[in-house]
Amino acid sequence: MTELRTVTIVGGIIAAASGVAAVAAVVMVFAGGFDGGANIGAGLVLMLSVPLAVASGATLTVAGLLRLAGRRQPRTTGA
């Protein structure tokens, strides 16, 4: 596996984990009922998902930049 593919896969995995955490937070809010109080557990899960989303965005941005850098380098032939 190349470095570019590895970075892209890691970014995708982090993005998926962030999405799962955000969906879990929404489910926790609606499953907890509306009694007028704050759902602390859902808030904590949502606070976990935001840094994961930022990290996945940064990782996928790096992967995109690596791909652009790879396209700009002239390919040398052995002939």
Side-chain angles (χ1 to χ4, degrees), residues 2-14 59-60 63-64 67:
T2 64
E3 179 182 338
L4 172 63
R5 184 160 173 83
T6 303
V7 171
T8 305
I9 289 174
V10 168
I13 290 170
I14 295 172
T59 306
L60 291 173
R67 182 172 178 158

Side-chain angles (χ1 to χ4, degrees), residues 3-75:
E3 179 182 338
L4 172 63
R5 184 160 173 83
T6 303
V7 171
T8 305
I9 289 174
V10 168
I13 290 170
I14 295 172
S18 172
V20 168
V23 168
V26 170
V27 168
M28 288 171 69
V29 166
F30 288 116
F34 299 102
D35 57 356
N39 191 338
I40 303 298
L44 291 175
V45 171
L46 194 59
M47 286 187 345
L48 170 72
S49 71
V50 172
L52 283 174
V54 171
S56 69
T59 306
L60 291 173
T61 300
V62 167
L65 291 174
L66 285 173
R67 182 172 178 158
L68 283 176
R71 282 186 176 182
R72 293 192 178 227
Q73 293 177 352
R75 294 185 182 182

Side-chain angles (χ1 to χ4, degrees), residues 75-79:
R75 294 185 182 182
T76 58
T77 59

